[in-house]
Amino acid sequence: MTADDGAPQPAGELELSGELELSRLFEISNDGFAIASPDGFFRRLNPAWTRILGWSLEELAARPFIEFVHPDDREETLAEFAAIVEQDKATFSFVNRYRHRDGSYRTIEWTRAGHDPAGGHPLLEQGRAGERVGATGRESDDGEAPEPEMVGE
């Protein structure tokens, strides 16, 4: 690999550059990136979640994520999360509903890559509290989702 000026970049600089690019992508993406620990708390979220759900990142991280999931979707969500944590399950197009700050629900389509035999766990981080599960969530507008409902109506 070479730098912009054509000079070779040392491997350490490439690694740092790649980490900075990934961090920047994480911050500017319109899709929600989330990293959760097996205890069910978000440990890292990107700013897209504030736009998607209306909560601050601190508010989303302060409570177990399942508290934001529609009551009718909780059992299936917990089963999917358990399969990811316990079996390293890849997830493509898992859909559930999350409560927006305004009380309505947003349909979220989740994707998570499983174990990559060539390069480890692309979306699994090792931390002091153990493994953390990473996934992306996108607000779904496929027309198949139920109408948003209001909490407390």
Side-chain angles (χ1 to χ4, degrees):
M1 242 3 208
T2 61
D4 290 338
D5 63 4
Q9 278 185 287
E13 285 182 28
L14 285 175
E15 193 171 298
L16 180 58
S17 175
E19 289 174 20
L20 291 173
E21 288 173 5
L22 285 174
S23 181
R24 174 93 172 118
L25 179 63
F26 189 90
E27 294 301 317
I28 66 169
S29 176
N30 286 324
D31 288 345
F33 289 179
I35 297 173
S37 56
D39 65 358
F41 282 83
F42 288 124
R43 297 300 178 204
R44 185 172 179 197
L45 297 159
N46 70 333
W49 287 110
T50 298
R51 179 189 53 76
I52 295 168
L53 296 176
W55 303 95
S56 72
L57 300 182
E58 293 78 18
E59 290 171 315
L60 288 166
R63 301 191 330 229
F65 68 77
I66 199 67
E67 290 185 18
F68 296 97
V69 174
H70 189 285
D72 293 344
D73 297 344
R74 288 181 180 175
E75 186 176 333
E76 188 176 359
T77 298
L78 289 172
E80 184 75 12
F81 187 68
I84 290 168
V85 170
E86 296 166 11
Q87 303 163 17
D88 190 33
K89 179 181 185 243
T91 297
F92 301 98
S93 300
F94 175 76
V95 176
N96 63 4
R97 292 167 288 175
Y98 270 69
R99 186 167 34 94
H100 190 278
R101 185 179 189 91
D102 69 9
S104 65
Y105 282 87
R106 301 297 195 268
T107 301
I108 306 295
E109 182 179 346
W110 293 94
T111 300
R112 183 216 175 250
H115 178 74
D116 175 5
H121 296 269
L123 292 175
L124 208 56
E125 291 187 351
Q126 193 68 26
R128 283 183 63 208
E131 290 186 335
R132 297 177 181 186
V133 177
T136 62
R138 170 178 287 200
E139 191 171 4
S140 176
D141 60 356
D142 62 9
E144 295 179 20
E147 288 295 314
E149 53 183 87
M150 300 299 287
V151 174
E153 287 193 347

